[in-house]
């Protein structure tokens, strides 16, 4: 589910040419190792992908989502061409045929930065009112669940490993500098403390080399940080793009992987990041977690995992207003769309939702609220009354 690991059966292993001489041929493949199997898996057809976009967009509207950031189907071990195929075959089709329902900000693999730069030069960053070219994304580590996220210290449940660095640091630095010099926004995936510090170092080096500008570097996930690292986000003006729903799963397993003290001192530091004056932007990481802003906002305020009666690290809880800002105006600013969306303001697109409750306090306390209607550009795009 998290896009960082796969399990191959014996037939798939044989078809992929994995033999006894292949290192650790267990069938459990993490991050880049999946490239041994992925080419053997049939890709969905163009029609299936187009249908998926339409269905996913409508589902997003039912949850009150009017804009998404699509980081593409590119993950370690997959082809960097996949997001480009989706742009050509799916998004351009939907944009030209009137099938776009929500606004989409697209990121492409970092290694294809020159193609993105050329495309922006040709079309501009705003392809249409529905489609925006945001920038490029890379991966530096894996995920906590597969023990592939990169820590300074070993995993408590696997002392021989402290995670994986899935990209060469020199290449990452070079391509980040070139992307930034061409005016592209750069976003890099980092889950754990060492990976986040390495990326902060890369961003600091690039900013010093390329000079001052409004670049809004992003780090995706930022789940576990070393002491003092939260303050660096604010000092360096780096966007902390976080997904609060992940903490509901991690709270159950993280103590086994990191031990209690280590987990509680560095996990999901939303309040620390905000007080460091970093730009804290909320998202969902769908389909790894559910696309549900109301639940995300409540999770950031309450931080109570399933079957728990108390908050996990309550000092890192956010106020309701801060959580709302993180999922609206701050999320828009994190992808350079704060002049178009993110607040109900004169001159912006009238994207807003109508909820089933008039009390945020009751919703936070009881978790009972739903989206009754979603408006995109002032036009009703979804109504619960029309659902059969």
């Amino acid at each position: 589910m998290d896009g960082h690991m796969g399990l191959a059966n014996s037939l798939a292993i044989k078809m992929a040419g994995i033999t006894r001489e292949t290192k650790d041929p267990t069938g459990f493949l993490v991050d880049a190792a999946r490239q041994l199997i992925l080419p053997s898996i049939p890709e969905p057809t163009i029609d299936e992908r187009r249908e998926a976009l339409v269905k996913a967009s409508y589902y997003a509207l039912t949850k009150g989502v009017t804009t998404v950031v699509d980081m593409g189907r590119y993950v370690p071990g997959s082809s960097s061409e996949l997001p480009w195929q989706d742009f050509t075959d799916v998004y351009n089709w939907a944009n030209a045929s009137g099938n776009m329902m929500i606004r989409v900000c697209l990121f492409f693999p970092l290694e294809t930065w020159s193609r993105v730069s050329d495309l922006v030069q040709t079309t501009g960053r705003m392809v249409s009112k529905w489609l925006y070219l945001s920038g490029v994304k890379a991966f530096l580590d894996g995920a906590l669940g597969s023990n592939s996220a990169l820590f300074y210290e070993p995993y408590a449940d696997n002392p021989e490993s402290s995670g994986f660095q899935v990209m060469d640091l020199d290449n990452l630095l070079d391509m980040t500098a070139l992307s930034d010099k061409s005016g592209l926004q750069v976003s890099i995936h980092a889950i754990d403390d060492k990976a986040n510090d390495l990326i902060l170092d890369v961003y600091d080096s690039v900013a010093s080399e390329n000079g001052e500008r409004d670049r809004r570097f992003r780090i995706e996930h930022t789940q576990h940080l070393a002491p003092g690292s939260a303050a660096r986000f604010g000092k360096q003006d780096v966007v902390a793009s976080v997904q609060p729903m992940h903490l509901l799963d991690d709270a159950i397993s993280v103590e086994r992987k990191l031990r209690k003290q280590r987990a509680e001192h560095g996990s999901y530091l939303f309040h620390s990041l905000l007080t460091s004056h970093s730009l804290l932007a909320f998202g969902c990481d769908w389909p790894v977690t559910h696309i549900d802003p109301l639940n995300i906002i409540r999770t950031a305020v309450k931080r109570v995992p399933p079957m728990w009666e108390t908050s996990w690290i309550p000092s890192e809880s956010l106020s309701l207003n801060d959580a709302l800002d993180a999922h609206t105006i701050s999320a828009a600013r994190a992808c350079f769309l704060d002049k178009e969306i993110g607040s109900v303001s004169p001159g912006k697109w009238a994207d807003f939702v109508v909820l089933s409750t008039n009390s945020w306090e009751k919703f936070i306390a009881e978790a009972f609220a739903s989206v009754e209607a979603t408006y995109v550009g002032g036009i009703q795009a979804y109504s619960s009354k029309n659902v059969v």
Side-chain angles (χ1 to χ4, degrees):
M1 282 297 292
D2 68 5
H4 289 274
M5 53 187 171
L7 182 63
N9 61 21
S10 57
L11 178 59
I13 290 174
K14 183 178 180 180
M15 290 176 62
I18 299 175
T19 68
R20 294 179 182 274
E21 284 68 44
T22 304
K23 184 179 180 180
D24 301 327
T26 62
F28 184 65
L29 307 172
V30 179
D31 287 308
R34 297 182 310 136
Q35 65 189 351
L36 297 169
I37 294 291
L38 288 177
S40 301
I41 301 175
E43 285 293 322
T45 66
I46 291 177
D47 288 341
E48 288 172 336
R49 285 149 54 209
R50 289 175 176 176
E51 182 182 7
L53 175 64
V54 172
K55 288 183 175 180
S57 298
Y58 181 76
Y59 184 72
L61 289 171
T62 70
K63 297 299 182 180
V65 175
T66 63
T67 303
V68 298
V69 175
D70 186 355
M71 294 292 181
R73 289 190 289 150
Y74 175 71
V75 292
S78 68
S79 170
S80 61
E81 287 299 313
L82 295 177
W84 287 98
Q85 292 172 8
D86 289 338
F87 174 68
T88 301
D89 299 336
V90 181
Y91 281 116
N92 280 343
W93 163 82
N95 191 46
S97 61
N99 281 289
M100 293 292 293
M101 303 180 194
I102 59 176
R103 310 185 199 284
V104 180
C105 308
L106 293 174
F107 278 77
F108 296 86
L110 177 64
E111 63 194 73
T112 68
W113 70 268
S114 61
R115 291 170 64 183
V116 184
S117 180
D118 291 343
L119 181 61
V120 171
Q121 291 296 320
T122 301
T123 66
R125 185 169 172 272
M126 181 178 175
V127 178
S128 72
K129 68 178 182 180
W130 301 107
L131 207 53
Y132 302 84
L133 305 175
S134 293
V136 290
K137 184 196 176 183
F139 289 80
L140 188 59
D141 70 347
L144 184 74
S146 57
N147 282 19
S148 59
L150 186 62
F151 281 102
Y152 285 109
E153 299 179 32
Y155 285 88
D157 61 348
N158 185 12
E160 295 181 356
S161 173
S162 56
F164 303 146
Q165 182 178 313
V166 300
M167 186 174 184
D168 178 77
L169 204 59
D170 289 336
N171 287 340
L172 180 65
L173 177 60
D174 290 344
M175 286 191 285
T176 298
L178 291 168
S179 301
D180 178 69
K181 189 171 291 186
S182 70
L184 298 176
Q185 186 181 19
V186 179
S187 176
I188 304 177
H189 166 112
I191 297 289
D192 292 337
D193 52 17
K194 185 175 181 178
N196 275 274
D197 281 353
L198 288 173
I199 295 173
L200 288 168
D201 290 343
V202 166
Y203 284 163
D204 187 47
S205 176
V206 170
S208 297
E209 177 184 341
N210 289 351
E212 185 176 346
R213 75 174 183 89
D214 184 11
R215 46 180 45 95
R216 304 184 202 181
F217 281 146
R218 296 169 61 120
I219 295 184
E220 301 301 324
H221 305 308
T222 312
Q223 292 176 5
H224 309 280
L225 294 175
S229 293
R232 294 185 63 185
F233 280 78
K235 183 179 179 180
Q236 295 180 213
D237 291 325
V238 173
V239 176
S241 174
V242 303
Q243 299 77 35
M245 294 297 287
H246 281 306
L247 74 82
L248 299 181
D249 292 326
D250 277 6
I252 299 170
S253 62
V254 73
E255 287 190 15
R256 181 181 75 251
K257 291 181 175 296
L258 306 182
R259 297 292 182 247
K260 184 178 178 65
Q261 183 177 9
R262 182 177 164 195
E264 292 188 349
H265 279 79
S267 299
Y268 295 89
L269 305 181
F270 301 153
H271 186 264
S272 295
L273 286 163
L274 197 62
T275 55
S276 77
H277 306 291
S278 66
L279 182 60
L280 186 69
F282 279 177
C284 65
D285 206 17
W286 189 41
V288 180
T289 67
H290 294 295
I291 182 171
D292 189 351
L294 291 177
N295 216 358
I296 291 169
I297 290 165
R298 186 174 186 271
T299 296
V301 174
K302 301 285 286 185
R303 292 179 70 106
V304 179
M307 311 303 293
W308 287 34
E309 295 183 357
T310 58
S311 299
W312 185 44
I313 321 178
S315 60
E316 293 297 333
S317 295
L318 296 185
S319 69
L320 172 61
N321 285 340
D322 286 339
L324 284 168
D325 282 348
H327 219 320
T328 52
I329 188 61
S330 294
R333 179 167 174 74
C335 54
F336 285 91
L337 286 180
D338 47 310
K339 293 183 179 179
E340 288 83 16
I341 59 172
S343 63
V344 182
S345 308
K348 294 188 180 184
W349 294 110
D351 295 355
F352 61 92
V353 299
V354 179
L355 302 181
S356 62
T357 180
N358 60 5
S359 171
W360 278 110
E361 288 72 21
K362 185 176 181 180
F363 161 68
I364 294 298
E366 301 178 6
F368 184 76
S370 60
V371 174
E372 292 195 342
T374 304
Y375 287 77
V376 182
I379 299 173
Q380 188 179 87
Y382 163 76
S383 172
S384 61
K385 296 178 181 178
N386 297 333
V387 177
V388 178

